[in-house]
Amino acid sequence: MSDESGRARRMWHLLEPLHAVVYYAPEAFEEAAVLGYATDERWPSYFAWRAAPLGAVDADRVAGTFHSFSPWMVGAYVPAVWSVASPDAVLAGRTRAVDRAYRALFGDRVDGPELAEAAELARRAASAADVTGRLLAAAAAALPWPDEPHVALWHAATILREHRGDGHVAALVEAGLDPVESLVSFAAVGAARPEVFASRGWSEAEWSAGGGRLLERGLQEEDGTATDAGHMLRAEVERRTDELAAGPWGALDAAERERLSELLGPLWVEVISSGLLPSENTLGIGKV
């Protein structure tokens, strides 16, 4: 792994949990309920929070840009989420959710100089991201920057993670992996148990068919584990993802990148230790 790729992956590991808070924090579910969303499961607010920057898009657009979800699952929530609240209302609610969740997690630090410094450094990196052809990153980057540093930090983390995610989808397509094959192959290398990926809505038949196609390509064994070729392909996908995600970090020099890592560390610990996020995830954090 090159220095640039390693840097991109390290920053992703630090920033992804800071972004993901909005999908799990109780404050976010409370704001979703105010908008009128059901909160007995996380998916109505998840699809609303994440897709709102795209506007009132249909299920096909969301399935295509999110990539890993079954189109049938997406269709169960989109476009219905926009009949509950408009994208603009969702974005305003999301900002309130992030503000409240960060204040609950970080306390007085949200008004402190170190968080403001982290927000400024992360903003510089996010502002340098080339979002050409990256639909989710471009939509996030087009939104106005929040005034409060802690919300601006979340916004920067979101631009950077969607920039990486868009690049990851491109890497999967380059590797010839369709959405369900992308998940099956990731489970095959041990990124997470297959049961974890069930959250993406694919049926057992669709999952099995995806595994069958990987078997035919010599990427998977009969028992569902990856062959050497399967491990190599997934390693190349991750290498390519890191490569495509490296650009924004060139906006900071080595000392600034190290300083941002130092500043993010305690926040990362606070989020992880909060228990809000699942210990095993579909992104493979901690495994790749």
Side-chain angles (χ1 to χ4, degrees):
M1 185 185 300
S2 69
D3 289 345
E4 292 80 7
S5 295
R7 174 195 313 149
R9 192 175 302 190
R10 178 189 183 193
M11 297 310 300
W12 169 55
H13 283 182
L14 284 169
L15 287 168
E16 179 66 29
L18 300 186
H19 161 80
V21 161
V22 75
Y23 306 127
Y24 296 97
E27 295 81 7
F29 284 111
E30 289 168 5
E31 292 295 340
V34 170
L35 292 172
Y37 292 108
T39 57
D40 55 331
E41 58 173 340
R42 73 183 182 96
W43 299 117
S45 57
Y46 171 86
F47 283 109
W49 294 147
R50 191 170 176 216
L54 296 168
V57 290
D58 61 18
D60 288 344
R61 175 62 68 87
V62 172
T65 53
F66 286 21
H67 188 71
S68 65
F69 287 89
S70 160
W72 313 113
M73 180 178 177
V74 176
Y77 300 99
V78 180
V81 292
W82 312 129
S83 66
V84 176
S86 69
D88 284 346
V90 170
L91 290 171
R94 190 177 74 169
T95 297
R96 293 192 298 271
V98 171
D99 172 43
R100 293 180 57 205
Y102 271 30
R103 289 185 182 280
L105 282 166
F106 307 138
D108 292 342
R109 279 177 290 183
V110 299
D111 299 314
E114 292 191 336
L115 193 145
E117 183 183 359
E120 179 56 30
L121 290 169
R123 177 173 180 166
R124 283 174 50 199
S127 297
D130 182 356
V131 297
T132 304
R134 304 188 192 222
L135 296 179
L136 285 167
L143 298 175
W145 280 91
D147 292 329
E148 294 184 288
H150 63 293
V151 186
L153 175 61
W154 182 87
H155 185 55
T158 300
I159 294 170
L160 290 163
R161 71 91 56 198
E162 297 293 21
H163 177 271
R164 181 185 178 87
D166 288 337
H168 185 59
V169 171
L172 291 167
V173 172
E174 288 177 5
L177 296 170
D178 67 26
V180 69
E181 292 167 0
S182 299
L183 300 182
V184 176
S185 65
F186 210 28
V189 299
R193 291 172 295 116
E195 294 82 0
V196 174
F197 294 104
S199 66
R200 272 31 188 173
W202 300 99
S203 68
E204 290 185 13
E206 290 168 325
W207 185 273
S208 179
R213 294 191 295 275
L214 297 177
L215 184 67
E216 290 176 359
R217 292 174 61 184
L219 300 173
Q220 186 168 297
E221 304 283 5
E222 291 280 0
D223 65 1
T225 59
T227 62
D228 288 346
H231 279 285
M232 289 176 63
L233 184 67
R234 284 303 316 200
E236 174 58 21
V237 166
E238 299 308 320
R239 185 205 66 77
R240 180 64 171 146
T241 299
D242 291 333
E243 181 180 73
L244 292 171
W249 299 108
L252 305 181
D253 64 30
E256 290 169 329
R257 291 191 297 267
E258 185 59 33
R259 176 58 175 162
L260 179 56
S261 295
E262 292 173 358
L263 293 166
L264 293 176
L267 305 179
W268 180 91
V269 169
E270 200 69 53
V271 172
I272 296 301
S273 64
S274 72
L276 288 176
L277 307 185
S279 59
E280 194 174 10
N281 56 77
T282 59
L283 298 176
I285 293 180
K287 300 292 184 67
V288 299

